[in-house]
Amino acid sequence: MNSQAAPHTAVHPQRTASVAPLSGATPPARRSLLRAALTGTTVLGAGLVIGAEPAVAAPAPYAAAPRKRPTTADEALRELSAGNRRWRTFRQQHPDESPAVRQALTTSQHPFALVLGCIDSRVPPEMVFDQGLGDLMTIRSGGQVLDEAVLGSLAYGVLELGIPLLMVLGHQSCGAVKATVQADQSGERLPAHIQYLADQITPAIDRSKEGDARVDATIDANIRLIRARLAAEPDLAAKVDSGALAIVGARYELTTQRVHRIS
């Protein structure tokens, strides 16, 4: 398996000369304030209204109802693979965003995959797999590092929601891994809580490689290490043994946008 921010246009209120009102006439500014008082709004400057909601037309009814979600790990992997193919070929469908889906999700959720990913802003699982609301449960930490909060969140998805697939998703050029490798080489400690991440990633450092190759190899080794740790968790292991859960490792390539398995 593998922004453009809208241009900011500064708005400058027009400056108008101060003119004394004609005797007996209500000044335009006062008329605006009176209208605002009657409608529950406040007028500030030229055309800026606080407290008023713009009129929004009701959304057109969409026929799209919630999709039939995968119920097995193999089906989930096939869906993630197909979604990543759409993403990297710029054919995204942006599924499960319709009013019907949003309404259905107010009462329950049935995500088909659980993704433990990195915090990197370039690797949001819902985007790289072209999935929508209610499809994925995602937990993200620097370098996919495990702690009690992460483990508890993963266990909730598996044990309470019955999610059949748990994917550890690492990625090319991981900053957490690179910082760990550099700190290991220099002997310097990283700031504050960042050192905690490094301490967790350090056992995965591949010292058989040098330079960028060491970082790259450590990314893969870290994915394997985290997957192994999860597979050793008794509650998760029991689900794997029963066939109700698969735990897999995968990596996202920033250069190609492809997700592929790490065995």
Side-chain angles (χ1 to χ4, degrees), residues 114-120 123 125 137-145 150 154 166-171:
L114 181 57
V115 180
L116 171 59
C118 183
I119 59 172
D120 197 292
V123 196
M137 178 170 281
T138 59
I139 295 94
R140 302 173 69 178
S141 65
Q144 305 89 244
V145 162
V150 171
L154 293 169
L166 197 173
M167 175 181 284
V168 180
L169 180 64
H171 67 92

Side-chain angles (χ1 to χ4, degrees), residues 114 116 139 141 144-159 166 196 200 226-236:
L114 181 57
L116 171 59
I139 295 94
S141 65
Q144 305 89 244
V145 162
L146 300 174
D147 64 12
E148 284 301 310
V150 171
L151 285 168
S153 300
L154 293 169
Y156 179 84
V158 172
L159 304 178
L166 197 173
Y196 174 83
Q200 299 299 308
I226 293 167
R227 180 192 173 280
R229 287 176 175 173
L230 291 173
E233 286 290 318
D235 289 338
L236 301 184

Side-chain angles (χ1 to χ4, degrees), residues 4-241:
Q4 311 181 3
H8 177 68
T9 304
V11 178
H12 301 285
Q14 272 192 323
R15 294 184 179 179
T16 56
S18 176
V19 179
L22 295 176
S23 176
T26 303
R30 285 186 60 193
R31 287 200 298 271
S32 296
L33 288 171
L34 286 171
R35 284 197 301 270
L38 291 171
T39 59
T41 63
T42 303
V43 179
L44 301 178
L48 178 61
V49 180
I50 304 298
E53 292 290 340
V56 178
Y62 291 178
R67 295 180 298 163
K68 182 181 182 299
R69 286 184 166 81
T71 58
T72 69
D74 286 342
E75 290 176 354
L77 282 168
R78 283 195 293 271
E79 174 55 36
L80 293 182
S81 179
N84 179 243
R85 189 179 304 112
R86 294 193 300 269
W87 165 256
R88 68 178 189 267
T89 58
F90 304 96
R91 297 175 181 174
Q92 302 96 295
Q93 296 177 354
H94 304 288
D96 296 330
E97 297 178 0
S98 70
V101 169
R102 299 183 196 192
Q103 182 59 38
L105 289 172
T106 61
T107 56
S108 64
Q109 62 168 325
H110 303 284
F112 66 83
L114 181 57
V115 180
L116 171 59
C118 183
I119 59 172
D120 197 292
S121 64
R122 301 165 294 179
V123 196
E126 290 84 356
M127 295 185 70
V128 303
F129 291 119
D130 190 30
Q131 300 300 316
L133 295 171
D135 295 331
L136 305 180
M137 178 170 281
T138 59
I139 295 94
R140 302 173 69 178
S141 65
Q144 305 89 244
V145 162
L146 300 174
D147 64 12
E148 284 301 310
V150 171
L151 285 168
S153 300
L154 293 169
Y156 179 84
V158 172
L159 304 178
E160 298 298 322
L161 298 183
I163 298 174
L165 177 68
L166 197 173
M167 175 181 284
V168 180
L169 180 64
H171 67 92
Q172 180 184 22
S173 301
C174 179
V177 171
K178 183 176 181 179
T180 298
V181 170
Q182 291 177 339
D184 180 70
Q185 292 173 326
S186 69
E188 296 180 2
R189 287 188 63 81
L190 295 168
H193 302 290
I194 303 175
Q195 184 63 47
Y196 174 83
L197 300 178
D199 290 342
Q200 299 299 308
I201 297 171
T202 295
I205 294 177
D206 187 342
R207 294 186 173 84
S208 68
K209 305 287 195 305
E210 297 295 336
D212 291 341
R214 177 176 292 189
V215 174
D216 199 65
T218 300
I219 290 170
D220 290 356
N222 187 53
I223 294 169
R224 295 187 186 100
L225 178 62
I226 293 167
R227 180 192 173 280
R229 287 176 175 173
L230 291 173
E233 286 290 318
D235 289 338
L236 301 184
K239 287 289 186 179
V240 172
D241 291 342

